[in-house]
Amino acid sequence: METSIIDLISQAFKSHQKSLLSVRREPLSTRKKYLQKLRDWIHENRSLIHLAAYNDFQKPAVEVDGTEIFHVLSEIKLAVSSLETWAQPRKVDAPITMLGTRSYLQPEARGICLIISPWNYPFSLAIGPLVSAIAAGNSVILKPSELTPHVSALIARMIQEIFPDGRVSVFEGGAEVSQHLLKLPFDHIFFTGSPSIGKQVMKAAAENLSSVTLELGGKSPTIVTRSANIKEAAQRIAVAKFVNNGQTCVAPDYILVDEHAMPLFIEELKVQVKKHFASGGESFETSTSYCRIVNQKHFSRLTELLQDALYHGARIEFGGKVDQASRLIHPVILSHVPEQSRIMNEEIFGPILPVIPYTDLDSVITIINSKPKALALYIFTQHEKERKKIVQETSSGAVCINDCAIHFLHHNLPFGGVNNSGLGNSHGYYGFLAFSHDKPVMKQKRGFTTIQPFYPPYTALSRKLMDWFLKLF
């Protein structure tokens, strides 16, 4: 990495440090002003966002609108309309031992925050957290992904046109830029990416005792029971899995289907994949609704996963052309996938979908609980008893019943993982909290207080009072 980049990062961080107090003093109206400017810029430059995403991995414009721009605009609208409520002090009742005191929780900005965003949804997963950070009153250094350079360059331009120096900065570049940024004493780090890189971020944050929010991934299982509406389940799974070419952290990673429903489910899944991604006589090669793999490295990783699965005995139920030059991988549905294959032990993050039959729900729960905790778990069932059993006996960042992935767009729900799939939450009020510290403020009254009888020196009377007092608990 060039020394000049290191110098620029150091200078930017010092600029953020110098402006920190003035940022803390900003009224809520200033935060709203920045958010409204951000909203206006997005509306005015929507076509440029479309073009950048297409240039990076042929992402369809409507898909950019639905999965990236809508999410950010929704976050902005909620933050602007709710900021006074979110930021006001929250009264806390006093216990009997603190009679006479008055207490409240005051949300305060964490300070200088680092946001490291991924490539799969390069606009929304960079700007969504930024909205929360600005709403909470922080200054931000943003590091977008180098794997989507067109979107990253557009983000840098957008930030430069909206925010002054010392408020929000953007640094493009590869892993070496992230590594240098992570050496700096940020007040909070918000990272979205893989569990393996998340561990590195957490280690780096520990050196400065920076708080972290980690939005990671993992293998999100989907269960299709015998009672499920098979056509509906196949449609919703097909869309959630193959939108963005499967490069979605909450995409269904593998499907566990009741053995009696499996033949019908696979046939219906084929129909739905064709209907939504290659309809009207289009092929997947010519489809304007089917994205591409982001780069050759990930293309090679996916083809190796597929070959390994086939080597271990997996069967292709649905597949087609694979073209390295255009980074096209035809949607693939697999059956007879052995547990020891790599595809059942690594996050797929691409358009390959293993479908595995099961005989009873206990075996399903055993399979799910044998793997690291998932970011999401999906259940297709019409039976309340089945739903309750799965929710109670498994652990995941979220559960979605009779649909997949749509909980990400519900800004009144917290979004986040657990253990291997993440740490902390984001979106809406929960994003505001992620970038805030709830500071307790307590005021004692004048004169006699309930604590004074227990001040030293410890007399016979004070001992008797303590004996009586402890019996209350």
Side-chain angles (χ1 to χ4, degrees), residues 80-150:
V80 169
S81 64
S82 307
L83 194 50
E84 279 85 1
T85 301
W86 292 352
Q88 70 180 0
R90 305 192 305 281
K91 182 182 175 182
V92 177
D93 292 336
I96 190 171
T97 52
M98 295 291 160
L99 289 178
T101 64
R102 297 290 182 271
S103 301
Y104 60 91
L105 295 176
Q106 176 65 63
E108 70 170 16
R110 290 191 179 274
I112 306 172
C113 299
L114 172 63
I115 296 174
I116 301 178
S117 60
W119 53 265
N120 58 322
Y121 291 89
F123 189 79
S124 68
L125 296 182
I127 308 306
L130 177 65
V131 171
S132 297
I134 296 300
N138 299 278
S139 70
V140 177
I141 292 181
L142 173 60
K143 163 60 177 70
S145 175
E146 72 279 11
L147 300 187
T148 45
H150 295 89

Side-chain angles (χ1 to χ4, degrees), residues 231-253:
K231 181 177 181 179
E232 202 169 72
Q235 180 188 49
R236 295 173 184 181
I237 290 168
V239 171
K241 175 62 180 181
F242 295 104
V243 76
N244 207 44
N245 216 244
Q247 300 165 120
T248 302
C249 60
V250 289
D253 194 89

Side-chain angles (χ1 to χ4, degrees), residues 433-468:
L433 290 178
F435 286 98
S436 302
H437 165 60
D438 258 347
K439 180 164 62 179
V441 180
M442 180 176 172
K443 181 182 178 182
Q444 179 65 281
K445 70 182 184 68
R446 295 181 62 189
F448 178 80
T449 72
T450 56
I451 301 298
Q452 285 177 344
F454 302 102
Y455 283 2
Y458 304 119
T459 64
L461 177 59
S462 65
R463 286 195 295 271
K464 288 181 180 179
L465 280 172
M466 182 61 76
D467 290 340
W468 168 82

Side-chain angles (χ1 to χ4, degrees), residues 131-197:
V131 171
S132 297
I134 296 300
N138 299 278
S139 70
V140 177
I141 292 181
L142 173 60
K143 163 60 177 70
S145 175
E146 72 279 11
L147 300 187
T148 45
H150 295 89
V151 174
S152 294
L154 188 63
I155 287 173
R157 171 185 158 183
M158 178 181 73
I159 296 304
Q160 188 175 33
E161 292 179 6
I162 296 173
F163 297 96
D165 291 341
R167 196 63 168 79
V168 181
S169 305
V170 175
F171 285 96
E172 300 173 77
E176 67 279 5
V177 173
S178 296
Q179 289 165 5
H180 184 72
L181 285 167
L182 288 167
K183 293 177 182 177
L184 299 173
F186 285 95
D187 297 295
H188 188 72
I189 298 171
F190 189 106
F191 170 79
T192 306
S194 69
S196 60
I197 304 300

Side-chain angles (χ1 to χ4, degrees), residues 301-316:
R301 179 186 62 83
L302 287 164
T303 55
E304 288 169 8
L305 278 180
L306 179 57
Q307 291 303 316
D308 178 80
L310 296 175
Y311 173 79
H312 283 94
R315 178 188 301 169
I316 294 179

Side-chain angles (χ1 to χ4, degrees), residues 217-222 248-255 347 374-378:
K219 297 186 72 63
S220 294
T222 302
T248 302
C249 60
V250 289
D253 194 89
Y254 61 101
I255 314 298
E347 184 177 11
L375 184 55
L377 184 149
Y378 306 119

